[in-house]
């Protein structure tokens, strides 16, 4: 198979939550693969740090600060990106949040925050991306799902509901955009050590439970996802749409 199938050089890749955690790793690796990476997030300092790090290696990057659950911001930022770069080739809907609580302690604000970022933000970013991808008659949308898209976790009812919806949204949007040469897929990471999951690993009992359940025997890093991400961003996946790829060290197989 020709390695050119995996070439994403000169592609414009928009990544939400690109300033920290897995998103930062995605941004750095996609830039290293030749894409011009545009990071979106709420924390300017972390976004700036990511972009400066990428630029220091001779690669291209930019950032915009804002909240993906704010529809007016999403509409403006995607318009600005398209006007500046002439394309939105790849969208990675990585921004996400979790509030882990027993259901009786979940407030309306908790519910709204998780749904707004994980589902509404993903939906609205994809909605705007489709508009511009249709103009260029091609595009790759990659939503970040979760193990919680497939199975339930106690005290994560809102998170699992949002990520289950992300997987279903991926299927529905794929059906709608296939005729426009736009592929829509998702990646469901297993347990990865990030700011959002740090408290799980700090709990010794929970940490042992997590690690004992992973057949490969270790927690993942962003480098374990990047191959799947590049595959779904490139021509190598042109005949694949509506799918969710699980990257979990074998967790769901057990």
């Amino acid at each position: 198979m020709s390695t050119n199938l995996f070439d994403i050089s000169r592609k414009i890749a928009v990544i939400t939550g690109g300033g920290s955690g897995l998103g930062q790793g995605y941004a750095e690796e996609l830039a290293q693969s030749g894409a011009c990476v545009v990071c979106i997030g709420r924390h300017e300092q972390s976004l700036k740090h990511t972009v400066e790090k990428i630029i220091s290696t001779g690669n291209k990057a930019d950032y915009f600060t804002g909240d993906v659950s704010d529809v007016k911001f999403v509409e403006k930022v995607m318009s600005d990106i398209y006007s500046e770069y002439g394309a939105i080739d790849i969208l990675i809907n990585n921004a996400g949040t979790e509030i882990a609580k027993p259901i009786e302690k979940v407030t309306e604000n908790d519910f709204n925050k998780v749904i707004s970022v994980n589902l509404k933000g993903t939906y609205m970013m994809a909605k705007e991306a489709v508009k511009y991808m249709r103009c260029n008659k091609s595009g790759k949308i990659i939503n970040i799902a979760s193990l919680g898209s497939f199975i339930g976790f106690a005290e994560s009812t809102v998170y699992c509901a949002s990520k289950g919806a992300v997987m279903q949204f991926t299927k529905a949007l794929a059906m709608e955009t296939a005729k426009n040469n736009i592929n829509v897929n998702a990646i469901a990471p297993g347990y990865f050590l990030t700011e959002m999951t740090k408290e799980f690993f700090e709990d010794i009992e929970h940490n042992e439970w997590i690690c004992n359940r992973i057949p490969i025997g270790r927690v993942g890093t962003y480098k374990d996802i990047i191959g799947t991400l590049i595959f779904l961003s490139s021509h190598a996946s042109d005949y694949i749409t509506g799918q969710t790829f699980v990257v979990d060290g074998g967790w769901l197989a057990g």
Side-chain angles (χ1 to χ4, degrees):
M1 182 181 291
S2 171
T3 55
N4 289 336
L5 282 173
F6 299 90
D7 183 16
I8 59 169
S9 58
R10 297 179 298 280
K11 297 292 186 182
I12 309 302
V14 177
I15 304 177
T16 67
S20 62
L22 295 178
Q24 181 181 27
Y26 301 159
E28 292 174 6
E29 292 290 336
L30 289 180
Q32 194 65 34
S33 297
C36 174
V37 173
V38 182
C39 297
I40 295 174
R42 293 183 295 116
H43 304 294
E44 183 169 12
Q45 280 304 112
S46 59
L47 290 169
K48 186 177 180 182
H49 173 74
T50 298
V51 168
E52 287 177 346
K53 188 175 179 183
I54 290 170
I55 291 173
S56 72
T57 64
N59 296 304
K60 297 179 180 179
D62 196 357
Y63 73 89
F64 292 83
T65 307
D67 186 343
V68 296
S69 67
D70 180 340
V71 175
K72 291 189 182 301
F73 166 73
V74 170
E75 291 173 348
K76 184 176 189 310
V77 76
M78 295 298 268
S79 174
D80 288 348
I81 292 168
Y82 189 76
S83 296
E84 176 73 19
Y85 295 99
I88 296 173
D89 300 303
I90 302 160
L91 169 65
I92 301 167
N93 271 317
N94 169 71
T97 192
E98 158 76 303
I99 299 174
K101 291 181 179 179
I103 191 167
E104 64 270 19
K105 293 185 179 179
V106 174
T107 66
E108 183 178 6
N109 284 339
D110 294 335
F111 180 89
N112 289 339
K113 180 177 180 180
V114 174
I115 294 295
S116 289
V117 176
N118 294 0
L119 181 56
K120 181 183 176 184
T122 293
Y123 190 103
M124 292 303 170
M125 286 293 298
K127 176 178 181 285
E128 291 303 304
V130 166
K131 180 194 305 183
Y132 299 110
M133 289 175 175
R134 278 177 172 155
C135 292
N136 289 17
K137 299 179 181 177
S138 69
K140 303 281 187 174
I141 296 175
I142 303 163
N143 299 321
I144 301 301
S146 165
L147 295 182
S149 302
F150 297 88
I151 59 177
F153 291 101
E155 301 186 3
S156 290
T157 51
V158 186
Y159 181 81
C160 290
S162 70
K163 290 300 186 176
V166 166
M167 186 165 71
Q168 286 300 108
F169 171 57
T170 298
K171 294 177 183 179
L173 186 59
M175 296 293 290
E176 186 171 333
T177 61
K179 62 182 179 293
N180 305 118
N181 198 32
I182 299 169
N183 300 78
V184 187
N185 292 290
I187 297 174
Y191 276 96
F192 288 71
L193 181 56
T194 66
E195 281 298 312
M196 193 173 78
T197 63
K198 184 171 64 174
E199 64 182 85
F200 298 142
F201 294 101
E202 289 174 346
D203 181 316
I204 295 174
E205 185 177 344
H206 200 164
N207 185 41
E208 287 181 358
W209 176 76
I210 291 168
C211 294
N212 288 338
R213 280 286 308 272
I214 302 173
I216 284 181
R218 63 175 176 82
V219 172
T221 74
Y222 72 88
K223 289 184 179 293
D224 293 307
I225 296 181
I226 203 66
T228 305
L229 196 66
I230 290 174
F231 168 66
L232 293 176
S233 299
S234 71
H235 287 302
S237 61
D238 281 352
Y239 200 60
I240 298 171
T241 198
Q243 304 303 308
T244 298
F245 290 76
V246 180
V247 183
D248 68 347
W251 176 285
L252 286 183

